[in-house]
Amino acid sequence: MATVEDVKEFKKEHQELIPGLPNEIAEICLLHVPYPYQPLVRSVSSSWNRAISNPSFTLSKKNLSNPHLFVLAFHTVTSKIQWQSLDPSSNRWFILPPMPLQNDTVCPTSFSCASLQRQGKIFVMRGTCSETETFVYRAAVNKWLKASEMITGRKSFFAAEEVNGRIVTVGESGTDIYDPENDTWKRCSKFTGELDRYETVVNGGKLYVTEGWWWPFAVRPRGWVYELENDTWREMGEGMKDGWTGVSVSVCGRVFMIPDVDLAMKVYDEVTDTWRCVGGERLPRENMKKPFVVRGLGDRIYVVSLGLKVVIGSVVVDDSDDVCGVKVTWQVLEGTEVFGEFAPSSCQVMYA
């Protein structure tokens, strides 16, 4: 015979999520609650909290998520740092909760960022000579959490990228790999190169690292390539590092480079070790000022400039075109004066 507690538990499990609607329809409604309001759903009722905590709901939410742009920026006057997110479909910005730092006026170059785009997670590594910290942001709950610290201290300049589900960091003190599933760091093959600054891009499971050309252009740039599968470093091809004259991004299985000056975007040809000009439109620089940060997802290139002005490039690849076979068109998003004194330090694009 059922007890009172059994009856209460049955009613609790079969409670209507939205009165008057079948729970299947109600769950679809909850799935369409946009970022960053999804975590607020948990506080509405215990039944809603159980619904969105179900693994099947989480999986369905991933399939319905839209790409969002996440920008780490610093105030050019106060040096205060903050994260904000842009929904390109509505051109709406959201301020993220602050990272759990003791001081939010730290040097932006002491941070390096990477993300798991499909899982909606951002990883921020802070490294100095004396201390290291790792923070993880989860879009599903709109919160920052502390993760395991890096193995050793870092100099001001170091790089981090996601390679095959792992976070690879490289700097003067070595190459470390973070496993997000186990929250553990592992020391890997030592980086024997020497760079004064880092420009990185990941393509085809390889991490490309270079310092690029910089004033007064007296020394040719240095560059290396890391292969995660073999845990090996090798020198970058001469044509790739000599032609790397801007910020880089990987989309459509290719490495693209936006030059520092007003020239056509270029795409790297690994077979010939050369950079080729991309067809279509040039980056609309009329209202854009450096610094530029860039990130790719699918066939889209997201560029953020001073004042957090954003343009999105759509890449089309035509392999039948023997000349280049790649064209790009640009969409300029209307900016806001609120971020006029903010400069981007890093950006990530992921599903939220």
Side-chain angles (χ1 to χ4, degrees), residues 43-85:
S43 62
V44 174
S45 69
S46 59
S47 60
W48 283 27
N49 185 32
R50 286 195 304 273
I52 69 172
S53 300
N54 192 294
S56 62
F57 183 93
T58 304
L59 180 61
S60 299
K61 182 62 179 174
K62 286 183 179 180
N63 296 330
L64 288 176
S65 296
N66 295 318
H68 283 65
L69 176 66
F70 294 80
V71 182
L72 172 61
F74 64 95
H75 197 280
T76 55
V77 178
T78 66
S79 296
K80 178 182 179 180
I81 64 170
Q82 70 179 33
W83 279 93
Q84 42 271 316
S85 172

Side-chain angles (χ1 to χ4, degrees), residues 265-326:
M265 188 169 67
K266 295 184 178 181
V267 59
Y268 179 66
D269 186 336
E270 188 173 9
V271 176
T272 60
D273 191 25
T274 57
W275 293 90
R276 298 185 179 185
C277 291
V278 173
E281 303 171 352
R282 290 190 181 184
L283 178 71
R285 300 173 183 255
E286 293 79 9
N287 297 315
M288 301 184 69
K289 296 181 180 180
K290 297 179 182 177
F292 293 161
V293 293
V294 59
R295 189 65 57 173
L297 178 63
D299 60 353
R300 297 289 193 272
I301 298 174
Y302 299 78
V303 183
V304 188
S305 64
L306 182 66
L308 306 193
K309 298 183 183 297
V310 178
V311 296
I312 303 176
S314 298
V315 176
V316 176
V317 177
D318 182 4
D319 292 327
S320 64
D321 189 337
D322 295 332
V323 178
C324 177
V326 181

Side-chain angles (χ1 to χ4, degrees), residues 242-253:
D242 284 351
W244 200 322
T245 58
V247 292
S248 57
V249 61
S250 174
V251 294
C252 299

Side-chain angles (χ1 to χ4, degrees), residues 199-219:
E199 174 68 27
T200 61
V201 69
V202 173
N203 190 64
K206 301 175 184 177
L207 171 62
Y208 297 84
V209 183
T210 182
E211 60 188 353
W213 289 95
W214 54 306
W215 183 262
F217 311 115
V219 180

Side-chain angles (χ1 to χ4, degrees), residues 209-238:
V209 183
T210 182
E211 60 188 353
W213 289 95
W214 54 306
W215 183 262
F217 311 115
V219 180
R220 294 179 66 184
R222 295 163 290 188
W224 283 265
V225 182
Y226 177 71
E227 296 190 30
L228 176 63
E229 184 177 353
N230 303 320
D231 187 26
T232 56
W233 283 96
R234 61 176 172 83
E235 283 200 42
M236 185 181 293
E238 295 292 331

